[in-house]
Amino acid sequence: ADGAVELYHDNVKKFETTASGVQVTGQIVLGTSGTEPTSSGDAGEVGEVRYTDNYIYIKTSAGWKRANLSAIV
C-alpha cells in the first residue's frame, strides 16, 4: 500500500518519506572516509555515497561521479 513512513528517536520524528522524496531532521552521517572508488567502473550500488577529505563520490547508473570539495567552505 502507498503511504508515508516515519521514523522516530526518543519520540521525535527524524525521518519521513514524502511524495517527492524524504525529509530528514538532524544530521546524516556517511560511512567511513577514505573509501573512494579507483575508477568510474568500480563496484557499488546506484545511489551509494563515499567521500574523502577532498571529494564526494556518488554511484550513478553511468558509473561513479565525483565533486571537488575544495571550493566549499
Side-chain angles (χ1 to χ4, degrees):
D2 291 337
V5 173
E6 300 174 342
L7 296 175
Y8 290 79
H9 179 77
D10 289 337
N11 292 319
V12 176
K13 188 186 321 181
K14 295 295 183 177
F15 182 94
E16 65 181 303
T17 61
T18 66
S20 61
V22 299
Q23 177 72 37
V24 176
T25 302
Q27 295 179 329
I28 296 176
V29 179
L30 299 176
T32 306
S33 175
T35 58
E36 74 270 18
T38 57
S39 73
S40 176
D42 278 4
E45 298 288 328
V46 171
E48 184 177 342
V49 176
R50 298 181 187 179
Y51 68 97
T52 65
D53 288 340
N54 299 312
Y55 296 96
I56 187 165
Y57 301 84
I58 300 174
K59 178 70 171 185
T60 70
S61 60
W64 285 98
K65 306 292 183 183
R66 75 178 187 182
N68 191 328
L69 298 176
S70 65
I72 300 173
V73 179

